[in-house]
Amino acid sequence: MKFLGHIAISLLVQWSLLLETSAYPFQAGHCDAGPIPSSPSNPHYDSGGSQPGSGALENAGFKVTFNGVELDTTQTNYINPGETYDVAIEPILPNSSSTFKGLLVRAENTEGGGSEIPVGAIAVAPADSSIKKHPTCEDNSIPSVTHTSRDVKTTAQFTFMTTVIVPEFRLDVTLVESGQRGIWYYDLFTLSTAPSETISPAPTPPNDDTAPPSASDEAAPSASPSERCGPEALDYHKKIGVKVEKVGFVPAINTEKFSYNMQPMDNFSGNSIYFLDQLNGKVYSYNQATEIASTEPIFDMNTSQLPAGVTLDWNLGSAGQTYKVKSMTETHSLNEVILVMTSSTLPVGWDKADAELPAKGAYSQWVCGPEEFFWMRDIFRPGVLPVCSDVGAGQESFTGYDVFVTYAINDEGNLNNPRPFFVAENYVGPGHLGGGIATLGNGDILYSVGDCSHFGIDGTYPPQINSEHCGKIMRIKNSETERKYKIVAKGVRNPQQMRIFRRRGQSLLGFMDIGGATAEEVNAYPLRKIQRTEQIENFGWGRNQEDGKAREGTFYVGPGNGLKLGSDEPPCEESAPIGEAGFIQPWIQFGRTPTDFFYAISSFAVPTKGLDELKLIWSEFNTGMLLGTKQNPKFDGKYKGPARSFKIRLYDTSLNELKNGLNDLVQEELGEVGYYRGDPRLFHYPDGSAGVFIERTGVFYKLTEIML
């Protein structure tokens, strides 16, 4: 029960209709006394009133702090009687553009009035001229403060003190959003002046992030945003966990560390999803209705029919960048699928790709500095990688062809009768090869290419140039005769997963984007805006020709040092403005910190079943961690910065904690192998629930949210 500090305010209500009145629930935003009904699912929420609101304060981007320590809606917050507290309603994120115009804060007993609190026991006083005591509340013996005007505000400050011990009372806070009438946010906090457990400055968490929750390990932000350039460190959520339940497996040929490359494919109607062995050119199926996973591939590059002219028996020497089969999505027919394969040759019928790399020699760059420099004449066709490269030194990279092929599914469930319809040129080597894919309602394909280049640099100019397909999301016509595509989004680095989903009454396109050294992202944006052709949406990656800046998450990054790994290539230079005009900023972002040795985001999921509070979850390659947020995405004028995010503790079916996250699942399957990174990939089962596939073992699991 002890108050510890930095913790997410519970999401109180979700809604999908824009409010057109200023109605509040019973007791929120006014000073009537009387009992407060509570919802069965959340006893801290006033459920009366004619209309729900927009949710908790965190949905508006705000938090409430006492002496700099954040209040928590999920438990009792203890304070000292006789001590004056400086209270602030302030943005969760620094440099946030969150604002409000209306405010009411009131202290009350647990029945919603002031009569059980001794007169004068609680003193609430304004701290500046923009705040005043609320006269009606004071008349009802309810200590309170409100706004003196409806001017736009970014913060509100006042003082709070209790003069006697009050075993339990409540503080309710209502904000009215600036800019739109009737959009309000509300939180209800339980407070106590019990003398033994009181609010104090938040302690610094220990370095061991895998330790179980205690009285100190989740209390404060792990790093001050002013001390470093990059996203804030994340804490574990104290109340939410996820249970991991084994479901099945497909064959995993390569289980040594870094020897595999596999991925689930879930954008399909019906009961089936698929698992690709990208390294070995095989496809496996899983039917949720029958609970049967194929142990024999339904497609095998060595035995299945390939389009004429396609060559898949090439070798790179690096498993993680070897995509014999790369991606897969549905068509309008349940008896067909689209398979993307990377060929070293053009298929018959093509004398050049439909989407080509930048012109030969157009982009040159020095790499490998500062101790040893190497002049790369063509960064999109580097040939043999220099010995100074941190990955793939001496490997021969080449120009490959992502071939989009429609396959029929025969009566045995195998793929046959290939019909290629589109070819995109790409760089094959240690770099950013993309592969996220989804099918639109008219049958067109959305496909993320990646920036077609190597690691360590800012992507240079092509991701920002509308005529180049690198660093873009393409809309490809599914036609064997037209071979057309359009660019619908730019400024993406390496999205390997994409999904169309619905939130609040509209369809969104979501995709993860692997970052450089600063920010890993999940983006979500209205599909109707992505599809419009008169404007190409810009997600920021690559050097912009108008202002000379490259963007990663909500930050500007420098040019970087090609072929060099590290925590600062390309370097984070400074924060970009939140809601920067002309650019779409991420739903969530996270990055490396001194205590979290993140490598990259590996996947995301937006399930419709099995999760309650969490609206988005995602995974990380190196640590095997699962992370999540309780906030839905916001766009355009409503965007206040990336959603507040958390690390999520994982448990097996016996509720034993997986101390090393999803990497513990590798040890369960392979035993004592010394190194347990498994590269987790989240996906969606056909029924909408979340799953995770471990590349290294071929085993897949179901994920279910639990309360701790």
Side-chain angles (χ1 to χ4, degrees):
M1 295 288 286
K2 184 174 180 180
F3 175 77
L4 297 175
H6 188 73
I7 191 71
I9 300 170
S10 291
L11 183 60
L12 299 181
V13 66
Q14 290 295 324
W15 69 299
S16 61
L17 298 177
L18 181 65
L19 299 185
E20 296 181 351
T21 76
S22 56
Y24 299 120
F26 187 54
Q27 291 300 105
H30 57 77
C31 294
D32 295 338
I36 299 178
S38 298
S39 71
S41 61
N42 192 336
H44 292 291
Y45 177 56
D46 292 353
S47 60
S50 61
Q51 301 230 34
S54 296
L57 298 186
E58 77 168 352
N59 283 16
F62 286 93
K63 62 184 177 181
V64 180
T65 62
F66 271 44
N67 287 354
V69 178
E70 186 175 339
L71 292 190
D72 184 355
T73 59
T74 66
Q75 61 179 346
T76 300
N77 303 275
Y78 292 93
I79 61 176
N80 283 319
E83 180 176 345
T84 299
Y85 288 88
D86 293 322
V87 184
I89 299 172
E90 57 189 354
I92 293 173
L93 297 173
N95 304 319
S96 172
S97 59
S98 299
T99 59
F100 61 94
K101 63 183 179 182
L103 162 71
L104 176 63
V105 180
R106 43 176 273 172
E108 59 197 23
N109 61 45
T110 54
E111 296 301 318
S115 60
E116 294 183 10
I117 301 174
V119 176
I122 297 176
V124 182
D128 58 59
S129 60
S130 68
I131 304 297
K132 66 178 181 180
K133 291 188 176 183
H134 196 294
T136 307
C137 287
E138 295 292 324
D139 289 345
N140 288 335
S141 300
I142 301 175
S144 65
V145 293
T146 187
H147 52 280
T148 59
S149 73
R150 299 185 73 82
D151 294 338
V152 172
K153 306 168 186 65
T154 56
T155 60
Q157 297 179 333
F158 54 95
T159 60
F160 187 95
M161 182 181 71
T162 60
T163 58
V164 298
I165 294 177
V166 182
E168 188 171 88
F169 62 100
R170 309 188 329 181
L171 190 74
D172 67 348
V173 181
T174 305
L175 295 183
V176 180
E177 182 177 308
S178 56
Q180 293 196 53
R181 181 174 179 268
I183 306 300
W184 57 270
Y185 301 84
Y186 178 56
D187 267 329
L188 185 64
F189 304 96
T190 300
L191 284 78
S192 175
T193 55
S196 59
E197 299 185 274
T198 57
I199 290 176
S200 59
T204 302
N207 289 333
D208 180 12
D209 283 330
T210 63
S214 68
S216 63
D217 77 342
E218 299 180 61
S222 303
S224 169
S226 63
E227 295 175 359
R228 53 188 297 272
C229 182
E232 292 186 62
L234 303 181
D235 295 312
Y236 280 99
H237 200 285
K238 291 184 65 175
K239 289 291 183 180
I240 298 175
V242 167
K243 181 177 67 174
V244 183
E245 179 182 1
K246 185 175 179 179
V247 174
F249 72 94
V250 296
I253 299 173
N254 308 92
T255 60
E256 295 296 323
K257 62 182 180 181
F258 308 124
S259 67
Y260 46 84
N261 196 17
M262 302 183 75
Q263 188 164 337
M265 293 289 157
D266 59 0
N267 286 328
F268 294 89
S269 304
N271 295 316
S272 293
I273 57 175
Y274 299 90
F275 298 93
L276 306 188
D277 185 336
Q278 296 164 313
L279 173 66
N280 295 296
K282 301 177 188 293
V283 180
Y284 300 90
S285 65
Y286 171 70
N287 186 298
Q288 189 177 27
T290 62
E291 300 182 347
I292 295 176
S294 62
T295 56
E296 296 294 328
I298 65 168
F299 173 88
D300 187 333
M301 58 173 270
N302 297 306
T303 58
S304 299
Q305 185 181 3
L306 300 179
V310 165
T311 304
L312 301 184
D313 60 353
W314 50 268
N315 290 300
L316 182 66
S318 175
Q321 282 77 42
T322 300
Y323 296 89
K324 304 298 180 67
V325 290
K326 189 172 187 178
S327 202
M328 192 172 177
T329 190
E330 66 181 350
T331 71
H332 281 169
S333 170
L334 293 177
N335 297 317
E336 292 182 338
V337 296
I338 293 170
L339 186 63
V340 183
M341 51 188 66
T342 302
S343 173
S344 59
T345 55
L346 285 165
V348 170
W350 277 261
D351 56 8
K352 65 176 183 177
D354 302 303
E356 297 181 282
L357 289 172
K360 292 183 178 180
Y363 297 95
S364 305
Q365 188 169 5
W366 289 102
V367 298
C368 290
E371 287 81 14
E372 181 180 2
F373 285 98
F374 178 86
W375 177 249
M376 187 170 285
R377 182 63 184 85
D378 188 336
I379 63 173
F380 295 100
R381 301 170 182 83
V384 177
L385 299 181
V387 295
C388 58
S389 177
D390 284 347
V391 176
Q395 288 182 6
E396 184 169 359
S397 64
F398 61 92
T399 297
Y401 304 95
D402 289 344
V403 182
F404 292 71
V405 186
T406 300
Y407 270 94
I409 304 175
N410 65 19
D411 292 341
E412 289 75 37
N414 298 318
L415 304 189
N416 63 7
N417 189 25
R419 305 188 308 277
F421 62 88
F422 189 80
V423 177
E425 206 170 42
N426 209 336
Y427 159 73
V428 179
H432 316 137
L433 310 182
I437 195 168
T439 303
L440 294 172
N442 70 345
D444 288 356
I445 308 302
L446 293 179
Y447 186 73
S448 53
V449 184
D451 68 11
C452 311
S453 189
H454 52 261
F455 55 92
I457 61 175
D458 65 358
T460 68
Y461 292 101
Q464 288 292 311
I465 297 175
N466 294 348
S467 60
E468 302 286 1
H469 81 287
C470 293
K472 307 297 194 307
I473 296 176
M474 299 193 298
R475 178 174 180 168
I476 301 169
K477 187 75 172 176
N478 184 359
S479 170
E480 296 173 35
T481 57
E482 294 188 46
R483 301 180 184 179
K484 292 181 178 179
Y485 76 97
K486 295 178 180 178
I487 302 297
V488 296
K490 63 183 177 181
V492 301
R493 184 178 183 271
N494 193 15
Q496 297 181 353
Q497 184 188 13
M498 183 183 292
R499 188 166 182 85
I500 296 170
F501 64 103
R502 291 188 65 80
R503 288 289 163 88
R504 296 182 173 178
Q506 64 177 319
S507 295
L508 307 177
L509 176 68
F511 62 92
M512 52 84 94
D513 201 359
I514 297 174
T518 299
E520 308 297 314
E521 305 175 24
V522 175
N523 293 277
Y525 204 64
L527 183 62
R528 58 183 174 80
K529 294 186 177 182
I530 292 288
Q531 293 185 86
R532 62 188 179 188
T533 57
E534 69 273 13
Q535 178 177 330
I536 297 177
E537 307 296 346
N538 194 343
F539 290 88
W541 178 253
R543 192 146 301 274
N544 187 271
Q545 291 179 302
E546 294 183 9
D547 62 13
K549 296 181 181 296
R551 294 157 175 85
E552 189 176 331
T554 60
F555 301 91
Y556 298 133
V557 297
N561 192 5
L563 300 181
K564 305 304 289 185
L565 293 175
S567 60
D568 58 354
E569 299 296 350
C572 183
E573 294 188 329
E574 61 178 322
S575 296
I578 296 297
E580 184 178 17
F583 297 91
I584 301 170
Q585 293 178 324
W587 181 0
I588 64 91
Q589 65 182 6
F590 70 102
R592 302 167 191 171
T593 73
T595 55
D596 289 319
F597 303 105
F598 295 139
Y599 174 72
I601 187 172
S602 59
S603 58
F604 77 100
V606 283
T608 57
K609 182 179 178 180
L611 298 187
D612 182 19
E613 294 289 323
L614 295 172
K615 307 306 175 189
L616 164 71
I617 54 176
W618 62 98
S619 58
E620 198 279 325
F621 274 117
N622 186 52
T623 62
M625 282 187 183
L626 187 76
L627 306 98
T629 182
K630 302 197 300 176
Q631 293 178 273
N632 278 311
K634 293 187 177 182
F635 333 103
D636 304 326
K638 289 185 173 294
Y639 185 81
K640 309 297 184 183
R644 193 175 186 192
S645 304
F646 298 90
K647 296 181 285 189
I648 305 297
R649 298 188 188 278
L650 298 171
Y651 299 85
D652 64 17
T653 53
S654 299
L655 298 185
N656 299 308
E657 185 177 354
L658 303 177
K659 298 287 188 177
N660 299 301
L662 296 167
N663 287 347
D664 276 353
L665 303 176
V666 175
Q667 186 171 10
E668 288 182 8
E669 296 296 324
L670 301 183
E672 299 293 336
V673 293
Y675 183 78
Y676 301 101
R677 172 175 158 175
D679 292 23
R681 300 279 192 172
L682 302 182
F683 64 92
H684 307 80
Y685 285 99
D687 68 356
S689 57
V692 62
F693 175 71
I694 306 301
E695 287 192 54
R696 189 172 176 181
T697 65
V699 180
F700 52 96
Y701 305 79
K702 181 181 178 180
L703 302 178
T704 306
E705 182 181 309
I706 59 174
M707 300 306 293
L708 305 181

